[in-house]
Amino acid sequence: MIRSHWTPAYLNHRVRNAVYRLRHPKAPWLTPEAVAFLDKWLGRGHEGIEWGTGRSTCWFACRVGRLTSVEHDPAWFVRTCRRLEKVSAGRVRVLLREASAENYARIADEFEDGALDFVLVDGVSAWRDVCTLAAIPKIREGGLLILDDAQRYLPLDVVVPDAVGSRAEPITPAWKQAVELLASWKRQVSCDGLRATVIWRRPVAASMLKTGGPGA
Ligand SMILES: C[S@@+](CC[C@H](N)C(=O)[O-])C[C@H]1O[C@@H](n2cnc3c(N)ncnc32)[C@H](O)[C@@H]1O
């Protein structure tokens, strides 16, 4: 059966994506543009959280100083831990949190406000809003919040089959609250025709820019 969204343009995006994945077998499941940006931006001095383990976990392990990686699926948790053995060198902590959104998101509470350089929200779809709200205060000035498959939750001007549409409301009250909190953050949207990855950057206070402080 041919599905209605299987247009020539969509098929072209799928082929391009398959080629990209073949050429970059270790890259996270984000848009190629987001991966390229993060590859340049991340450094060994950085600490972050990711919700949703996978290729991204080993990829971050090779680039950042410390990562807390949160997984909800016990089998996938074991698989991620095994894959990490060769590359992690103690830089990555993988945690299994399967019970509830609150339990899953609560990892953020272990960190002081403004302590994190980056957070990737890419785990359980229905829990991403709670994770995003938990992450926002924890990100330092100049730090990044990365949300994959953002088209499913937020109004964005992108063409992807499962997008809520550019005029829709954020799909839950928590997403609405997140959008309000992120209104002053610089937003970078990338789309490969299959997904949209959004990267927000927390603004740097003017005083920090003048002194060349850590957020600059
Ligand atoms: C969108 S994936 C996370 C992807 C990861 N952040 C990355 O970029 O590689 C969300 C969840 O799907 C599951 N998952 C990840 N990769 C999978 C795979 N190849 N097959 C089946 N489940 C997978 C895990 O439970 C994970 O927490």
Side-chain angles (χ1 to χ4, degrees):
M1 190 177 80
I2 297 180
R3 298 172 195 205
S4 59
H5 64 266
W6 285 54
T7 61
Y10 178 71
L11 289 174
N12 183 35
H13 290 309
R14 288 195 58 128
V15 171
R16 288 166 68 107
N17 187 262
V19 171
Y20 176 82
R21 299 292 156 202
L22 276 175
R23 286 198 178 147
H24 303 85
K26 295 182 177 172
W29 284 85
L30 309 173
T31 61
E33 198 178 326
V35 173
F37 171 81
L38 291 171
D39 195 27
K40 281 193 190 147
W41 191 87
L42 292 168
R44 279 284 179 223
H46 288 155
E47 172 159 23
I49 300 178
E50 74 164 355
W51 278 285
T53 69
R55 294 183 182 190
S56 54
T57 313
C58 292
W59 192 84
F60 280 129
C62 296
R63 286 164 178 78
V64 306
R66 282 153 72 96
L67 175 72
T68 298
S69 188
V70 191
E71 179 52 51
H72 72 286
D73 178 334
W76 197 254
F77 168 80
V78 171
R79 197 166 160 169
T80 298
C81 292
R82 282 205 193 115
R83 282 184 179 176
L84 264 176
E85 278 167 13
K86 285 184 191 154
V87 294
S88 169
R91 289 185 290 272
V92 181
R93 182 171 66 129
V94 188
L95 304 174
L96 179 63
R97 293 289 184 277
E98 49 186 324
S100 66
E102 286 65 36
N103 190 32
Y104 188 71
R106 199 177 291 143
I107 300 303
D109 295 345
E110 293 183 8
F111 297 88
E112 299 286 327
D113 283 358
L116 297 174
D117 299 290
F118 69 95
V119 173
L120 169 62
V121 180
D122 193 22
V124 179
S125 194
W127 297 350
R128 291 189 190 191
D129 53 357
V130 184
C131 294
T132 300
L133 285 179
I136 287 172
K138 307 300 172 185
I139 297 170
R140 68 158 168 91
E141 291 183 0
L144 306 181
L145 171 67
I146 308 137
L147 171 66
D148 195 35
D149 293 314
Q151 80 284 348
R152 295 179 188 164
Y153 318 107
L154 309 176
L156 294 174
D157 197 7
V158 295
V159 180
V160 183
D162 60 358
V164 294
S166 58
R167 294 186 184 175
E169 286 287 310
I171 67 166
T172 65
W175 276 124
K176 197 167 180 189
Q177 195 186 343
V179 167
E180 285 162 11
L181 290 169
L182 292 165
S184 64
W185 296 34
K186 190 177 166 201
R187 195 182 77 161
Q188 212 175 301
V189 179
S190 57
C191 178
D192 60 10
L194 306 184
R195 58 161 45 78
T197 304
V198 178
I199 301 179
W200 287 268
R201 188 169 193 152
R202 180 183 279 279
V204 178
S207 57
M208 294 299 278
L209 281 175
K210 277 185 202 145
T211 59

